[in-house]
Amino acid sequence: MMTAISFEGVNQTYMTKSGETTALQEIWLDIEEGELIGLVGPSGCGKSTLLSLAAGLLPPTSGTVEVFGQKGTGPSPDCGYMFQQDYLLPWRTILDNVLIGAEITSTVTPALKHRALALLDELGLSGTAHKHPHQLSGGMRQRVALGRTLLTEPRIVLLDEPFSALDYQIKLQLEELIADTLKARRLTGVLVTHDLGEAVAMCDRIVVLRNRPGRIKRVLSVPESLRSLSPLAARETPEFHSLFRTIWGDLQDEY
Ligand code: ADP
Ligand code: MG
């Protein structure tokens, strides 16, 4: 198996008018291809910064970040992003929102449009192609955002609290869909979440970060018995509750 993302002794310091903030300190972490990694920790501990570093949107202050063995020099074409907000453009149709990346790079072809429509079907969005974002529910809009991300064929999907703005019921459905979609395509995922249950139910490993400066406190492997279950089924098991309590305890010290 190949290493998808490798953080080697990474430090990140932000310079602002009011001084320096060390967001991350001494991060050593290898994320394997096909793995779904959960990132949990208190607000401001550097989770989003870690994703930006992985995506090559930010060069580390020191240390190295490699994506599939390559040291990045700018935004990585291997990485796709999904955020809490869907950032769909209200004046464009769903299909045109999904195609936006390709439109910017002038790579829209009939075949790609066909793929975009197939992707909408796959994500349970049949019949929405010519609608506009305001006609869709929050959960459906997030699925459109997922489609937009997947159409660029990333090998890594970075998920920054993508379920936070959704109703609980919708969130559980989307957890299932995303877990299935990533596994079916053998994609690598990094999921930032403040919902421990979500991390335990969905992920293969969980990285617990501590605050100020952000450092790795612990990396936990989710037992195979949980990983083989869907997120919804995993939540029903004793192993789920046991791991949840362990991480809960870890995080208690950080708040
Ligand atoms: P999280 O996603 O875990 O909430 P962030 O990665 O957003 O944390 O932020 C980590 C720390 O870095 C915080 O203290 C935040 O205020 C600071 N920070 C993040 N982005 C910037 C920036 N662009 N300029 C200055 N400080 C920043
Ligand atoms: Mg964040």
Side-chain angles (χ1 to χ4, degrees), residues 6-177:
S6 170
F7 295 91
E8 294 173 6
V10 168
N11 296 285
Q12 184 62 41
T13 302
Y14 291 108
M15 307 289 183
T16 58
K17 274 178 275 177
S18 52
E20 292 186 357
T21 308
T22 300
L24 292 169
Q25 199 171 63
E26 279 298 305
I27 303 295
W28 294 84
L29 178 68
D30 281 347
I31 298 174
E32 303 306 326
E33 186 171 21
E35 229 185 350
L36 178 51
I37 288 270
L39 279 186
V40 299
S43 178
C45 73
K47 302 181 294 296
S48 295
T49 299
L50 207 61
L51 294 191
S52 293
L53 289 166
L57 298 175
L58 196 65
T61 308
S62 65
T64 57
V65 180
E66 287 183 355
V67 174
F68 292 110
Q70 304 283 316
K71 203 174 150 180
T73 52
S76 167
D78 289 321
C79 294
Y81 240 116
M82 216 178 139
F83 303 96
Q84 182 173 344
Q85 272 182 284
D86 54 56
Y87 297 109
L88 300 182
L89 299 175
W91 60 88
R92 292 178 73 106
T93 64
I94 297 308
L95 179 62
D96 286 346
N97 266 290
V98 170
L99 286 167
I100 195 155
E103 205 173 299
I104 289 167
T105 53
S106 309
T107 50
V108 179
T109 58
L112 189 78
K113 269 194 188 173
H114 191 77
R115 262 190 39 228
L117 288 167
L119 199 51
L120 287 176
D121 283 348
E122 188 189 330
L123 298 174
L125 294 164
S126 311
T128 64
H130 301 292
K131 292 191 170 163
H132 284 83
H134 71 90
Q135 295 174 279
L136 270 52
S137 68
M140 289 171 92
R141 293 172 55 125
Q142 266 308 33
R143 280 186 267 156
V144 176
L146 176 63
R148 182 187 55 199
T149 302
L150 293 177
L151 194 69
T152 65
E153 304 203 296
R155 297 168 75 188
I156 298 169
V157 181
L158 305 170
L159 303 144
D160 202 344
E161 309 206 17
F163 313 116
S164 298
L166 302 172
D167 289 349
Y168 192 67
Q169 202 71 18
I170 303 293
K171 170 185 143 83
L172 292 186
Q173 287 172 6
L174 208 60
E175 283 180 9
E176 301 278 312
L177 180 71

